[in-house]
Amino acid sequence: MAERVALDGGTPPGTEIASLTMPPITRHTLALYCGASGDHNPIHVDIDFAKRAGFPDVFAHGMLVMAYLGNLLTHIAPVERHRSFSTRFQAITQLGDAITCTATLQSIGEQDGVPVATLALTARNQTGEVKLAGDAVVALAEGDDR
Amino acid sequence: MVNRSHIGLELKPSEHVVEAGRLRFLARATGQDDPVFANAEAARGAGYPAIPAPPTLGFCLEMDRDEPLDFLGQLGIDLGKLLHAEQRFDYRAPIFAGDTIRFTSRVADVYEKKGGALVFATIEREARKADGTLALTATTTLVVRNG
């Protein structure tokens, strides 16, 4: 489920540009991401290891949720227009969390002579708790800087 | 215990071929529904030479080397006490399936908060293509919970 509005030089700051809700995270989600990402840290897939480390259960890779935000970013602009992408991991994403990613326009500016948009990004779970917060800079499409 | 003498430490460099099958698996595992990230034909249809890397591949790819977490031992960090605090990517040139990417990494900063209860380590990585073009820099901040 992705929704988006047009992003160009005339879009007012504060506008929600796009949002995306991912299915609830299961153990299977974490197993697939473990293999596909190359992040084999057992804390995300081995409950015995997680318990020994003092956690009640396994929990999601922060980078899985960042990848969800990345999905949103690719819906807004193709990869060749991405300039930067940054997040803080604010809270642990738990099993069963359904993550909603949102991008809000912060400002329109210029970087290396190219018009760019700075987007505020958040990933929240189903109760609205912020898991990741960050920002991204994307170049506007040619002709979109009016 | 992490100590500030590690600042500037160069970590083991590594080199990786970006494989189309891996990008397809990653697209499926992350719920990326744009076929451009999984299907070479869709990628070419969008004007790309091959499947493009998704925005966070720069982190994943580096994890493919032998003993990807060996630097934790070098820094004296226990894996069970480690959490990811921040991640940043600065993009210079898109990466595509078939590219060979070489990473060089260094410890950029080490600092404490809450009187040493939390120790942060920032690692900066450069990813370059075979011809030396800078594809991206990746900045990872890890936090270690002490006690």
Side-chain angles (χ1 to χ4, degrees):
Chain A
M1 278 184 292
E3 295 183 27
R4 57 161 301 190
V5 301
L7 172 63
D8 60 42
T11 309
T15 304
E16 185 180 304
I17 302 300
S19 75
L20 173 67
T21 298
M22 302 304 295
I25 289 172
T26 64
R27 293 174 198 282
H28 183 239
T29 316
L30 300 183
L32 286 178
Y33 185 76
C34 170
S37 69
D39 184 346
H40 299 170
N41 185 342
I43 210 154
H44 303 296
V45 287
D46 180 344
I47 190 170
D48 304 324
F49 184 93
K51 283 185 170 168
R52 277 201 302 276
F55 293 94
D57 204 339
V58 297
F59 54 90
H61 307 71
M63 288 305 293
L64 170 62
V65 184
M66 191 173 187
Y68 291 165
L69 282 173
N71 292 351
L72 182 70
L73 209 51
T74 63
H75 290 161
I76 295 169
V79 288
E80 65 275 18
R81 282 167 42 202
H82 298 177
R83 294 295 177 265
S84 66
F85 178 23
S86 177
T87 58
R88 293 178 308 282
F89 301 96
Q90 295 195 176
I92 287 178
T93 301
Q94 308 290 355
L95 290 168
D97 279 349
I99 297 295
T100 296
C101 300
T102 6
T104 306
L105 179 64
Q106 223 163 46
S107 60
I108 300 282
E110 210 183 86
Q111 196 172 296
D112 304 326
V114 175
V116 295
T118 301
L119 304 167
L121 305 173
T122 57
R124 296 169 190 268
N125 73 354
Q126 61 287 351
T127 67
E129 188 190 3
V130 177
K131 299 298 188 179
L132 269 65
D135 53 63
V137 174
V138 299
L140 296 178
E142 270 180 57
D144 274 0
D145 55 342
R146 61 198 172 274
Chain B
M1 188 70 183
V2 174
N3 77 57
R4 293 183 54 84
S5 70
H6 290 121
I7 296 173
L9 182 72
E10 305 272 339
L11 305 180
K12 214 180 282 178
S14 62
E15 200 171 89
H16 310 271
V17 177
V18 180
E19 292 164 350
R22 201 283 176 76
L23 295 183
R24 213 162 21 245
F25 184 18
L26 195 59
R28 184 178 301 165
T30 57
Q32 170 57 271
D33 58 8
D34 185 340
V36 156
F37 293 98
N39 179 306
E41 212 168 303
R44 284 192 294 269
Y48 296 125
I51 297 175
T56 59
L57 184 81
F59 184 88
C60 304
L61 203 55
E62 206 275 336
M63 297 290 278
D64 282 354
R65 68 191 170 85
D66 293 337
E67 301 179 68
L69 299 172
D70 58 355
F71 70 92
L72 296 178
Q74 260 176 290
L75 298 181
I77 295 174
D78 172 359
L79 181 60
K81 293 185 171 180
L82 182 73
L83 290 172
H84 202 164
E86 291 179 34
Q87 181 62 42
R88 178 181 177 89
F89 297 100
D90 289 277
Y91 304 105
R92 293 292 176 268
I95 294 172
F96 296 100
D99 282 349
T100 297
I101 302 294
R102 184 175 171 80
F103 284 89
T104 51
S105 312
R106 58 184 281 276
V107 178
D109 201 5
V110 177
Y111 55 97
E112 289 183 347
K113 284 185 184 172
K114 298 186 180 172
L118 297 174
V119 177
F120 293 79
T122 302
I123 295 166
E124 284 180 358
R125 297 196 159 91
E126 280 190 357
R128 290 184 185 273
K129 298 201 183 199
D131 65 0
T133 308
L134 181 63
L136 59 84
T137 61
T139 309
T140 301
T141 301
L142 303 170
V143 56
V144 187
R145 303 166 298 127
N146 287 312

